[in-house]
Amino acid sequence: MDIEEEIRSLQLDSAEENNGIVNLEDGKPEVGKSDKKDEGDKIDEVPKQEVQPQPVQAEEPKAKDKEIPAVQDEKDDLQMKKRHVNVVFIGHVDAGKSTTGGQILFLSGQVDERTIQKYEKEAKDKSRESWYMAYIMDTNEEERVKGKTVEVGRAHFETEKTRFTILDAPGHKSYVPNMISGASQADIGVLVISARKGEFETGYEKGGQTREHVQLAKTLGVAKLLVVVNKMDEPTVQWSKERYDEIESKMLPFLKQSGYNVKKDVIFLPISGLNGANLQTRMDKSICPWWGGPCLFEALDSVELPTRDPKAAFRMPIMDKFKDMGTVVMGKVESGTVREGDSLLVMPNKHHVKVVAIFIDEDRVKCAGPGENLRIRLSGVEEEDILSGFVLSSVESPIPAVTEFVAQLQILELVDNAIFTAGYKAILHIHSVVEECEIVELLHQIDPRTRKPIKKKVLFVKSGAGVVCRVQVSNTICIETFSSFPQLGRFTLRTEGKTIAVGIVTGL
């Protein structure tokens, strides 16, 4: 049996084993879904060919052929049973996202003691002693000076059952577009909340990033959320059960309102990102006698993911590109499987390309399935002919490329109490696309009780309304309808630095 037949037989076995997986989109009040969605959102665990993991720095390394070991053989591939999960860390600025991410990498052995000591000294020299763990996740010197994450930091760690890619999203409101790009690649989210007196309230109040990040995460398809109440060791908190319960009681109604099924899709747990309490091992009862739940690593391992179909048409939105012995593109596989030697299309420009090499983290592999973050070296296209937002697509079933589409929108809050009508302009964020758009026509208003269109003609709507409309974009973009392909059919509209609406594509 050759390697491809072996992979196919394993995919079939895996599909049978995964029949009992819970559908994560339950409880989402969206119109336009059909039974096709279940098939479009399936992800099977394709066995991946990998070498043994090595310590990974937070920066994205560029692989060079000379440094890459030979592609693993069939035997290594069959031993690789671990599932792969993308986790985005979201939350208000200064909640402790980067510090928690850095501590996870340290505890899981991805960063050595010497590096930590170097960062500790660097932070002390800048009178920023408590920031040293965040330095692991920071992507550049500017972020260390400011103490703010700007770009989405990326790193990798493993537990016994799972390989994780951490996406450390910025919390500052000026960098929400970067947070959107991180969340659009994620399978699950870790919402970091500060328990420190006053900090939770600032993030949760109107205009705080806790609220906006939750709404964006749900819209971008982050269906499962781990809410970690951080800084529980802080002097104003001291592992107080009352403070933890107060935060949980305020967050639950908001999470429910944002579309999360709080019983199935949300887990709360207390942690301290700075000293690592309740991250890799369970809380010591002498410190926190009232907590009997899991630690963060256990909670991450236990999260069930929706399945995606490795045999579906190939789709990989391109997040970034660079030159390295050819043209290399980066992105997350949303469906289908890619193999070395495959012929693909770069849409919407219809460039025919050939897959020269595939990389997961630093390892070169022969094939990769849905959910994997890849770097793919292509031949047949120049780096300058590719833009972020283009989609690598199968030749037999290319992704649709459009300049206009029909969408169902939920208006959140319009800037300066404006009205939403034909001619309204905003910035559209859909998968890795960021494009100016204009509302061409309002088709129907949505009845808030029945969630069905009202037949009466509508000329404008205000904040809080649901509406079906036609949207026009300035350049051709690649999208799918939500009912057939949820990951590439959900979007947000932003204007003047605020998210004003979330929506799904209902017609092309």
Side-chain angles (χ1 to χ4, degrees), residues 21 25 62 94 225 236 288 320 327 383 393 396 443 485:
I21 285 182
E25 292 291 326
K62 292 187 182 180
D94 285 340
L225 209 55
T236 63
C288 185
D320 204 357
T327 300
E383 182 246 358
S393 168
E396 302 76 26
L443 302 173
F485 213 112

Side-chain angles (χ1 to χ4, degrees), residues 312-494:
F314 184 71
R315 300 280 186 270
M316 189 184 98
I318 294 168
M319 301 295 300
D320 204 357
K321 49 44 181 310
F322 56 87
K323 270 186 178 169
D324 180 21
M325 299 167 69
T327 300
V328 179
V329 294
M330 294 164 56
K332 177 188 167 195
V333 180
E334 294 293 359
S335 88
T337 304
V338 63
R339 291 178 176 80
E340 271 191 22
D342 277 359
S343 293
L344 297 172
L345 276 180
V346 176
M347 294 292 287
N349 287 2
K350 298 184 180 173
H351 274 119
H352 283 264
V353 294
K354 191 169 182 179
V355 176
V356 177
I358 305 166
F359 304 96
I360 296 177
D361 305 341
E362 289 169 51
D363 307 324
R364 183 170 176 175
V365 295
K366 276 191 175 169
C367 73
E372 289 290 359
N373 289 306
L374 304 181
R375 293 196 310 283
I376 300 180
R377 184 172 291 135
L378 302 171
S379 64
V381 68
E382 291 301 319
E383 182 246 358
E384 54 267 24
D385 294 330
I386 296 176
L387 296 174
S388 184
F390 283 14
V391 178
L392 261 187
S393 168
S394 59
V395 178
E396 302 76 26
S397 174
I399 187 169
V402 299
T403 53
E404 197 174 289
F405 59 94
V406 178
Q408 181 192 317
L409 281 177
Q410 180 63 42
I411 312 293
L412 301 175
E413 188 181 2
L414 297 167
V415 178
D416 300 331
N417 288 324
I419 58 167
F420 190 83
T421 184
Y424 192 96
K425 289 187 168 77
I427 303 294
L428 169 81
H429 293 262
I430 183 164
H431 60 86
S432 53
V433 170
V434 181
E435 199 65 62
E436 283 187 16
C437 72
E438 182 178 341
I439 307 304
V440 183
E441 181 187 4
L442 303 191
L443 302 173
H444 311 285
Q445 191 162 353
I446 303 284
D447 188 315
R449 285 167 305 174
T450 63
R451 307 292 300 161
K452 289 184 178 165
I454 301 167
K455 286 184 181 172
K456 191 175 143 193
K457 183 77 178 162
V458 61
L459 294 175
F460 67 90
V461 291
K462 294 189 174 180
S463 297
V467 65
V468 176
C469 56
R470 279 196 306 121
V471 183
Q472 194 174 66
V473 282
S474 40
N475 293 304
T476 306
I477 60 170
C478 296
I479 56 174
E480 300 265 13
T481 59
F482 180 84
S483 58
S484 62
F485 213 112
Q487 297 97 321
L488 302 178
R490 44 166 85 89
F491 64 90
T492 58
L493 291 184
R494 288 175 55 79

Side-chain angles (χ1 to χ4, degrees), residues 91-92 191 193 203-204 208-215 251 254:
H92 193 67
L191 173 64
I193 289 174
Y204 183 68
Q209 274 2 86
T210 301
R211 283 173 171 267
E212 186 174 16
H213 279 200
V214 167
Q215 288 169 329
M251 283 303 299
F254 177 67

Side-chain angles (χ1 to χ4, degrees), residues 119-132 135 144-145:
Y119 288 150
E120 206 165 356
K121 183 180 181 304
E122 200 177 317
K124 206 168 184 179
D125 292 346
K126 292 175 181 167
S127 304
R128 300 280 191 247
E129 285 90 339
S130 65
W131 288 4
Y132 74 97
Y135 283 10
R144 290 177 191 173
V145 172

